[in-house]
Amino acid sequence: MLSLTRDEALEFVDNRLAIKDAEKLFVKDRFLLLNELIVAFHNNIPFQTLTNLAVRPDIRHIPNFDEMKDDLFSGKGGMCIALNGFFHAVLLALGYDCYYVTAGRMWDNDIKSHAIIIVQNLRQTNDVFLVDVGLGYPTLNAVALDFELESPTVVELVWWGKIVRLPSENGKAEQCPYFSRMRKPRHPADMGKFGFGHREVADQWNNVYEFKLEPQSFEELRNIVDVNIYQNISHVLSRSLRLVQWKENRATIIINNHLMTEEEEGTFRYVLLETDKDIVDAVVHEFPVFEREFVENAIKQWRQLCRMQSC
């Protein structure tokens, strides 16, 4: 199990997330602190596929506990299993009541390969909240799951977003409630630039992932993600370059050879990165935690994989 001591969690929160006096804030208002932690995490830790692309496909593996810990303390980030796995460890060490669940994403043929966090007993006994800092796009607050049909609609970058309670297959109440996270493009014409135009229907709610409130062990989840993403070179996250981070609550995104920087909420400046050198320059400039030599090697490995996969 990925775990941290209380001192390690406080060190990360203090030094990397720049949130002071977390212990006092937890006692005063743990809900408010949780949302501050979520926003600070998005602003300081990137979702990125770069470290996976830097490894030859034949020797790729999901990061072990120590590798995840090093990547998060250094600010390099990673994919969902590392981000939500580490964030869960931070929350647990601070005193939150939380557990993992798995979600089936629409682009994974419903294979449950996405890790998300459920926090319970947060504001009152038996309340339940969704926390997801590892999707690659924002969930900038804990989402209450106590609604009857669906959550309020919110803005999620270039989408409208909501969570819907799904009916059980047999029409009876399920022991583990079943939910769908959904989104609808706010600006359908721009979806291709974000790498989602081929799988989202304009003016329609699209399923992002489905999940049940059924606790899963980190070890089980880690094995699923390893097989279906890290060792599966045909998976989109194993063959595409993606780096996403919020800076002062504005998104900076690199997807393959596109750089997108948010100027106003949901409004982006797009730059086509015409050469590999342009890509390397953009990554090093926008995500300076990565050294140029490392980025150059990752892009080289990625190009070799693309020739194999025609991506």
Side-chain angles (χ1 to χ4, degrees), residues 96-284:
Y96 287 95
D97 184 357
C98 54
Y99 60 88
Y100 300 106
V101 300
T102 56
R105 290 181 288 202
M106 62 178 181
W107 54 87
D108 284 341
N109 297 317
D110 289 330
I111 296 172
K112 295 189 182 301
S113 59
H114 181 54
I116 56 179
I117 304 167
I118 300 299
V119 179
Q120 59 189 4
N121 304 315
L122 183 60
R123 308 189 81 173
Q124 59 187 30
T125 303
N126 295 326
D127 63 7
V128 182
F129 290 79
L130 166 73
V131 172
D132 188 353
V133 297
L135 183 61
Y137 295 94
T139 312
L140 293 175
N141 57 278
V143 182
L145 298 177
D146 58 355
F147 49 82
E148 184 175 349
L149 296 175
E150 61 182 54
S151 70
T153 298
V154 297
V155 173
E156 295 180 343
L157 196 62
V158 294
W159 298 275
W160 301 108
K162 64 180 179 180
I163 297 175
V164 175
R165 184 183 292 266
L166 298 176
S168 61
E169 293 181 0
N170 57 14
K172 298 180 181 179
E174 297 237 10
Q175 184 176 1
C176 296
Y178 195 25
F179 298 92
S180 171
R181 180 172 182 170
M182 308 190 79
R183 68 186 179 204
K184 181 169 68 173
R186 296 168 61 201
H187 311 290
D190 288 340
M191 285 298 96
K193 297 173 183 176
F194 285 84
F196 293 103
H198 63 291
R199 59 181 177 234
E200 299 214 24
V201 180
D203 301 320
Q204 206 170 296
W205 286 100
N206 300 277
N207 181 31
V208 180
Y209 56 66
E210 296 180 358
F211 63 97
K212 288 185 178 182
L213 299 185
E214 191 170 30
Q216 183 109 20
S217 75
F218 182 74
E219 290 74 17
E220 289 176 304
L221 181 54
R222 188 176 178 276
N223 290 337
I224 293 170
V225 175
D226 191 22
V227 170
N228 290 294
I229 298 180
Y230 284 85
Q231 294 187 38
N232 178 11
I233 61 173
S234 64
H235 192 282
V236 63
L237 294 179
S238 285
R239 58 181 173 83
S240 63
L241 176 65
R242 293 167 187 259
L243 300 100
V244 185
Q245 187 172 325
W246 270 250
K247 300 175 182 179
E248 299 180 355
N249 297 323
R250 290 285 182 260
T252 298
I253 303 169
I254 294 176
I255 296 182
N256 297 331
N257 63 337
H258 285 89
L259 167 64
M260 294 158 277
T261 52
E262 189 176 13
E263 297 181 325
E264 299 179 6
E265 185 179 76
T267 302
F268 284 81
R269 179 173 64 90
Y270 299 92
V271 176
L272 177 64
L273 306 173
E274 298 182 350
T275 68
D276 285 356
K277 182 180 182 302
D278 291 338
I279 296 174
V280 172
D281 289 344
V283 172
V284 172

Side-chain angles (χ1 to χ4, degrees), residues 2-17 41 44-45 65-78 82-83 86 89-90 289:
L2 199 167
S3 63
L4 297 171
T5 67
R6 188 172 184 83
D7 286 344
E8 287 175 324
L10 289 171
E11 178 188 349
F12 176 80
V13 170
D14 191 341
N15 296 337
R16 179 55 60 182
L17 301 189
F41 194 92
N44 290 280
I45 306 295
F65 167 74
D66 288 333
E67 290 168 331
M68 288 183 186
K69 190 174 174 181
D70 288 345
D71 285 345
L72 271 293
F73 267 95
S74 67
K76 293 178 181 176
L83 301 184
F86 186 86
V90 170
V289 67

Side-chain angles (χ1 to χ4, degrees), residues 50-51 54 76 241 243 254 273 275-301:
L50 189 70
T51 50
K76 293 178 181 176
L241 176 65
L243 300 100
I254 294 176
L273 306 173
T275 68
D276 285 356
K277 182 180 182 302
D278 291 338
I279 296 174
V280 172
D281 289 344
V283 172
V284 172
H285 180 265
E286 300 293 346
F287 301 87
V289 67
F290 296 105
E291 297 181 357
R292 176 173 292 273
E293 184 178 355
F294 176 83
V295 177
E296 289 173 340
N297 176 66
I299 300 304
K300 180 180 178 181
Q301 293 287 347

